[in-house]
Amino acid sequence: MRTVSRGDDAAVIVVGAGHAGFEAALAAARLGAHTLLVTGDPERICTLACNPSIGGSAKGQLVREIDAIGGAMARVTDRVSLHARFLNESKGPSVRALRALADKPGYVRAARAELGAEPRVTVVAGMADDLVVEAGAVRGVVLADGRTLRAPSVVLATGTFLGGKTFRGDEVRAEGRFGEAPAVGLSSALARLGFPLARLKTGTPPRVDRTSLALDAMSPQMPSAVPLPFSYRSPAAFAGPQLPCWIVETSEATHALVRANLHRSPLYGLDLIRGIGPRYCPSIEDKVVKFAHNATHQIFVEPEGWDEPTFYVGGFSTSLPADIQLAMLRTLPGFADVLVLRPGYAVEYDFVQPTELDVSLETRRVAGLFHAGQLNGTSGYEEAAAQGLIAGINAARRAAGREPLRLGRETSYIGVLLDDLVTRGVDEPYRMLTSRAEHRVVLRHDNADLRLTPVGRKIGLVDDEAWEAFARRRDALDAARRAAERSRAPARIASSDLAPGSTLADALRRPELGIADVAPFLPPEIDAGTGARVEIELKMDGYVRRTQAAIERAARDEAVVLPADLDYASIRALSREAKEKLDRTRPRTLGAATRIPGITPTDIALLGVHVHRLTAAPA
């Protein structure tokens, strides 16, 4: 990883070195593009600015898919994981998700090591202030100190820095993150180019001294007793000591303090914050006001590192003044003598409506310009990293004159994320949820490699070693499934009676039987991991077949490509609302048009007929 102080030319420029920028720079470089990574502080690349966790419900699938394509987040996490466990295990394989806590300083070191091993990445210390655009295409970036960096592809991954402001009580600072200056000029540059900007906000809770807490007053939450790596490439071994977390509950005393001090809140009484906050990660103020019927709220107390003095108070995001935060915390079990090392705060920032983008994450307004992460209205490290990976891939491919990679909803949670953003836009910070993925039965944690590693190999991100390991896993899985389908089962396994002629596959399809019951009758070379995957595949068979039929039906609409210059205003039978929404979003396919809010089945039928007539008409 080289660091430069003067202007330089490249194939790809990435602005911002958070999780989106990190994945974008690595992907572009590994695809052969000389890449400049612009960041205000090269020592804070990939900082876990908010919580110390990676993964969780739906987000864990994103991390797994990033790894399967050839991204880095999973491997970085596994190197510094101090607490990992599966969520939603009782709800079945379709929604089971891995979550890990990372050692915060270790995560930064591991991310910097990944970049350091890539000779095509050059880190540029500086703040991007303007864009160089010529003839409708991006040509580079102007830094605040006057340097100009030139490249045919630019990825903006600005996080919360674009016009960033932080709030704590009546204290308002121009910051993109605590103690770090915001990016101001880029907002003006994007506005001049015609991009519609709006404001969103997010928050962070207080960090507290771990030695000031009475942990025996809290409910412990233990990590997995066996290693649970995210990455297919990581060894099944613990990175270091596995630490517990704890759970406590708020009380009426907590809520009373919130209500009594709403007049000091920048979100309520002071009315300083205009941006919309995340629905699925509300502040403690929002919880008390909007969910007043709840007598308590769960709070998660989590270590931020093996040697870090701080605990993260999850679920306690707040922008109230520091003295009120301290009083509120002291109402929690085990917090009577708590010492606050850093109070919580809210941050508000600019974003661009992602309907400005193609699903490749290239803007339609400026060729060669890509947006990724919170600039697109998303929240979360995982959503940012997934977008950064795709933006970096496509920035490199565009610089090399190649067609972009586009992932559909049927392929991945990443595809769902991208399609949701570009067809529906956002009116609040977007968070990935399992409910957003209508094909989640086939988009599971266990099969991300089968779905996406061939994609990563085809575009050049999966190297020979990773591909050979994948091929061994795939072949072993195929062989184990064949063995289960061909082998006759005994009349009785465990406490279950089987019908005459049943196979071991039939036995594994039974809900009360698992791979441990069937393993004694399978060939000894089938390892536990392969056996567990076979069990999932067999138990999910019927659901998968039905889902595949739905995917095939949807594929017919996805195959109908809408002309890029289609004049929606000329389609008389369409409603004015449909014309406006279609013209603003400009979906690539008829299938994408069906997912635009407000577009009716009648609109789709009319649009399909119109496009059919256009394509059938003689040239």
Side-chain angles (χ1 to χ4, degrees), residues 34-105:
H34 176 206
T35 302
L36 303 182
L37 177 59
V38 180
T39 177
D41 186 352
E43 298 301 315
R44 300 193 67 178
I45 288 172
C46 236
T47 295
L48 296 170
C50 194
N51 63 45
S53 78
I54 300 292
S57 182
K59 293 169 175 278
Q61 280 88 335
L62 286 175
V63 179
R64 189 79 155 168
E65 290 176 355
I66 290 167
D67 182 69
I69 295 175
M73 177 177 256
R75 294 198 306 280
V76 170
T77 302
D78 292 341
R79 289 173 191 151
V80 294
S81 174
L82 54 79
H83 175 115
R85 63 191 183 91
F86 272 114
L87 308 183
N88 304 324
E89 284 198 277
S90 64
K91 297 180 180 179
S94 296
V95 295
R96 185 184 67 159
L98 184 59
R99 180 179 186 263
L101 297 183
D103 177 82
K104 278 194 169 185

Side-chain angles (χ1 to χ4, degrees), residues 158-184 187 198-204 266-267 271-276 318-319 344-351 374:
T158 51
T160 60
F161 281 77
L162 203 65
K165 289 183 180 180
T166 63
F167 302 83
R168 185 185 292 145
D170 60 3
E171 181 184 351
V172 182
R173 296 182 179 183
E175 295 178 320
R177 196 162 56 200
F178 182 75
E180 296 184 71
V184 179
S187 289
R199 302 284 278 177
L200 293 175
K201 80 105 180 172
T202 188
T204 186
L267 186 61
D271 198 26
L272 296 174
I273 297 175
R274 302 296 182 186
I276 304 299
T318 181
S319 56
Y345 63 92
V347 58
E348 187 182 64
Y349 54 94
D350 290 336
F351 81 103
Q374 284 172 291

Side-chain angles (χ1 to χ4, degrees), residues 206-486:
R207 295 344 190 255
V208 300
D209 186 336
R210 63 194 300 171
T211 64
S212 68
L213 302 178
L215 297 176
D216 56 356
M218 308 177 191
S219 300
Q221 190 175 55
M222 304 307 293
S224 169
V226 297
L228 296 175
F230 265 115
S231 177
Y232 290 100
R233 305 190 198 189
S234 296
F238 291 123
Q242 296 299 285
L243 307 180
C245 299
W246 292 266
I247 297 176
V248 296
E249 300 273 347
T250 61
S251 66
E252 175 52 32
T254 320
H255 300 184
L257 277 168
V258 172
R259 289 192 294 266
N261 290 280
L262 285 176
H263 65 286
R264 301 182 66 187
S265 165
L267 186 61
Y268 287 94
L270 298 177
D271 198 26
L272 296 174
I273 297 175
R274 302 296 182 186
I276 304 299
R279 183 190 313 185
Y280 302 101
C281 188
S283 66
I284 190 66
E285 298 96 297
D286 276 339
K287 289 179 180 179
V288 171
V289 172
K290 297 179 180 179
F291 305 96
H293 56 282
N294 288 346
T296 64
H297 295 283
Q298 274 195 336
I299 304 299
F300 301 90
V301 185
E302 301 177 332
E304 294 202 305
W306 284 301
D307 299 313
E308 287 295 284
T310 52
F311 270 12
Y312 178 89
V313 190
F316 209 86
S317 172
T318 181
S319 56
L320 284 165
D323 60 324
I324 304 304
Q325 293 187 36
L326 177 60
M328 290 159 53
L329 286 168
R330 287 187 169 169
T331 66
L332 302 178
F335 279 72
D337 299 313
V338 67
L339 175 63
V340 176
L341 298 180
R342 193 178 83 194
Y345 63 92
V347 58
E348 187 182 64
Y349 54 94
D350 290 336
F351 81 103
V352 176
Q353 270 295 346
T355 51
E356 288 285 318
L357 306 172
D358 178 74
V359 75
S360 66
L361 295 182
E362 183 177 12
T363 69
R364 297 195 308 270
R365 200 175 292 269
V366 178
L369 180 63
F370 297 80
H371 291 177
Q374 284 172 291
L375 178 59
N376 289 336
T378 60
S379 67
Y381 308 138
E382 303 85 358
E383 291 89 342
Q387 293 170 74
L389 176 66
I390 299 304
I393 288 169
N394 286 328
R397 289 176 70 83
R398 189 184 191 283
R402 305 181 72 181
E403 287 295 309
L405 170 69
R406 294 186 174 97
L407 296 178
R409 300 179 70 88
E410 75 286 354
T411 68
S412 55
Y413 274 79
I414 297 176
V416 172
L417 166 66
L418 301 179
D419 186 69
D420 278 356
L421 293 176
V422 304
T423 61
R424 300 177 182 179
V426 299
D427 55 12
E428 62 181 332
Y430 178 101
R431 177 177 179 172
M432 193 71 245
L433 305 169
T434 53
S435 59
R436 298 189 192 275
E438 65 272 32
H439 305 313
R440 56 188 171 273
V441 166
V442 297
L443 308 181
R444 305 187 306 272
H445 172 95
D446 63 282
N447 68 3
D449 58 342
L450 296 177
R451 292 183 281 115
L452 295 174
T453 298
V455 175
R457 179 65 171 180
K458 183 177 180 180
I459 63 175
L461 269 189
V462 173
D463 60 25
D464 290 344
E465 182 181 354
W467 180 251
E468 289 165 5
F470 163 73
R472 289 194 295 271
R473 289 195 306 273
R474 179 197 58 201
D475 293 347
L477 181 61
D478 289 344
R481 177 159 182 161
R482 286 195 302 271
E485 289 172 337
R486 292 173 179 172

Side-chain angles (χ1 to χ4, degrees), residues 137-171:
V138 74
R139 290 291 180 262
V141 172
V142 180
L143 303 186
D145 60 12
R147 287 175 290 165
T148 297
L149 311 176
R150 300 190 68 87
S153 292
V154 173
V155 178
L156 296 184
T158 51
T160 60
F161 281 77
L162 203 65
K165 289 183 180 180
T166 63
F167 302 83
R168 185 185 292 145
D170 60 3
E171 181 184 351

